[in-house]
Amino acid sequence: MPEDVVQHSRPAPAAPPDGERPRARRTSRDPYFDNAKYLTIVLVACGHAWEPLTYGSRTVTAAYLTVYAFHMPAFALISGYFSRSFDMAPGRLKRLLTGVALPYVVFETAYTFFYRWAEDDWGYPLSLLDPWYVMWFLVALFIWRLTTPLWLMLRHPLPVALGLAMLAAVSPDLGGDVSIQRVLGFLPFFVLGLTLRAEHFERLRTRRVRLWLLPVGLGAFVVGYWVAPWFDAGWFYHRGSVTGQGVTRWAGLLTTPALFCLAVLLTACFLAWVPRRQLWFTALGAGTMYGYLLHGFVIKWARFRDWYAVEWLHTPLGELAVTAVAIGGITLLCTSPVRTALRCVVEPRMEWAFRKAPERAPDADRAPAPDRAPSPSRAPES
């Protein structure tokens, strides 16, 4: 996850006892979530790089199926966790526009012209209602964030979100505008993230839970290897209704909650084993939006130029080489120089476009409000 998608900080320290001079508050990023965001974006890049190799390798297909079963649900869940403070306040709406909406417009346009140039198809249409390739997630995030206050109002938001996902799965005529099938298909994971608290992640990281979940993750790969010859990864994409998988529409009433449970279980396995301490890649967690938006150009260029036609890449050594290049490439795209160069379009401030919030005079007749518990995160970023 990105600083593009979420921004986080450690809770502020408790107020000092009476009589002691308060120290200036400092906030610091939690390395656990930066590590989780970096490792998730690595899985995204590997999944996209592996896809052309799945047609000839059962092992790669097993890895691909295992990763696709949970990596985008994990993205959505973490995004939801750090969206809990979104309350339609002007500052947060501004950040939503500049951190999600504007990058979507810029990169959707850039991807369209990239396709026209690479494929020499200058008639390819530009449509902001039809996200291309990786851009659907920004549309989904924008919609999810806008509806966050509604989900926080509901007594039982997760069953409602899961019901909407099931409705989408059995509705072949829902349409493809704004990737609505994916928006609804991954919505339960975002809503689940809204309901989580810090203690839930702490429970995952206990030694006992980590040891219990380790064989579950390994077992998922074994099952993926077993089903690789016949299972369609399209079940994990949520691009359309279940009729596209050759089953009756009502099968979605069973497959949607089943896939949801599978994704949550594998996400728990992943999060349980994410390192909690500062590591060499921790700082890269702040730049995963850059990696997410940019790596699609590299992946698509490789496909357009038919790089995967090289037979050596379809050997075990070649598959390892593709994996290493994917990890190295996405790591490079998350680094500080890339962020510095492209911050103007990925994280623009755009102060000139917004009015300054009017200063409110203090009300002498109103008693001061009691201190509130510190928020678990600052304004969510995307």
Side-chain angles (χ1 to χ4, degrees), residues 34-289:
D34 274 331
N35 292 338
K37 291 191 293 181
Y38 169 76
L39 294 174
T40 306
I41 199 64
V42 166
L43 292 179
V44 170
C46 288
H48 288 156
W50 288 339
E51 197 273 335
L53 302 177
T54 59
Y55 301 101
S57 172
R58 188 168 182 174
T59 302
V60 173
T61 302
Y64 180 84
L65 292 175
T66 305
V67 166
Y68 263 78
F70 77 92
H71 77 308
M72 290 312 297
F75 246 77
L77 184 146
I78 297 175
S79 297
Y81 177 70
F82 286 107
S83 295
R84 294 172 299 157
S85 61
F86 188 85
D87 56 3
M88 291 291 186
R92 291 189 170 96
L93 283 174
K94 172 187 171 183
R95 183 59 190 144
L96 183 63
L97 291 174
T98 59
V100 179
L102 181 62
Y104 170 72
V105 173
V106 170
F107 279 88
E108 178 65 23
T109 302
Y111 270 113
T112 299
F113 280 95
F114 169 73
Y115 180 90
R116 291 178 178 181
W117 170 71
E119 292 290 270
D120 195 21
D121 182 7
W122 295 98
Y124 187 78
L126 169 63
S127 173
L128 297 180
L129 296 179
D130 185 18
W132 193 68
Y133 199 36
V134 299
M135 300 308 299
W136 71 269
F137 187 76
L138 268 67
V139 175
L141 184 61
F142 185 83
I143 295 174
W144 295 339
R145 283 267 171 84
L146 282 180
T147 59
T148 291
L150 173 62
W151 297 114
L152 294 177
M153 285 171 53
L154 296 178
R155 188 181 298 273
H156 302 292
L158 185 56
V160 176
L162 191 57
L164 290 175
M166 294 165 64
L167 180 62
V170 300
S171 303
D173 300 324
L174 188 59
D177 289 346
V178 298
S179 293
I180 190 62
Q181 291 278 8
R182 281 181 159 179
V183 171
L184 296 178
F186 288 98
L187 174 63
F189 303 102
F190 179 84
V191 174
L192 176 60
L194 290 175
T195 67
L196 295 179
R197 296 295 179 265
E199 55 266 27
H200 295 124
F201 293 92
E202 289 298 329
R203 291 172 188 169
L204 277 180
R205 295 183 295 188
T206 61
R207 177 180 175 83
R208 181 179 180 182
V209 172
R210 295 175 75 191
L211 292 177
W212 272 102
L213 290 178
L214 180 60
V216 174
L218 296 176
F221 177 81
V222 173
V223 173
Y225 188 87
W226 174 55
V227 304
W230 53 268
F231 185 81
D232 188 350
W235 283 103
F236 301 134
Y237 301 157
H238 297 289
R239 287 176 179 167
S241 73
V242 296
T243 56
Q245 301 302 322
V247 299
T248 63
R249 58 187 298 185
W250 303 113
L253 298 178
L254 297 176
T255 58
T256 300
L259 292 174
F260 173 78
C261 293
L262 173 63
V264 170
L265 180 60
L266 294 182
T267 298
C269 296
F270 168 73
L271 293 174
W273 283 93
V274 169
R276 67 179 71 185
R277 65 184 185 278
Q278 194 85 15
L279 297 172
W280 66 267
F281 57 77
T282 301
L284 299 176
T288 48
M289 174 63 105

Side-chain angles (χ1 to χ4, degrees), residues 12-13 15 25 87 369-375:
R25 288 186 177 183
D87 56 3
D371 292 338
R372 294 182 179 179
S375 171

Side-chain angles (χ1 to χ4, degrees), residues 248-334:
T248 63
R249 58 187 298 185
W250 303 113
L253 298 178
L254 297 176
T255 58
T256 300
L259 292 174
F260 173 78
C261 293
L262 173 63
V264 170
L265 180 60
L266 294 182
T267 298
C269 296
F270 168 73
L271 293 174
W273 283 93
V274 169
R276 67 179 71 185
R277 65 184 185 278
Q278 194 85 15
L279 297 172
W280 66 267
F281 57 77
T282 301
L284 299 176
T288 48
M289 174 63 105
Y290 296 80
Y292 183 82
L293 293 175
L294 294 171
H295 85 284
F297 292 104
V298 181
I299 296 295
K300 284 299 184 181
W301 180 255
R303 301 298 298 273
F304 292 155
R305 290 297 172 262
D306 207 17
W307 289 357
Y308 285 91
V310 179
E311 293 185 5
W312 175 76
L313 292 180
H314 298 268
T315 65
L317 187 59
E319 293 161 0
L320 291 175
V322 169
T323 303
V325 170
I327 295 174
I330 200 67
T331 299
L332 179 64
L333 294 177
C334 295

Side-chain angles (χ1 to χ4, degrees), residues 338-352:
V338 175
R339 295 174 60 195
T340 301
L342 295 179
R343 183 170 284 115
C344 59
V345 292
V346 178
E347 297 179 288
R349 297 186 62 86
M350 293 185 63
E351 299 294 343
W352 56 268

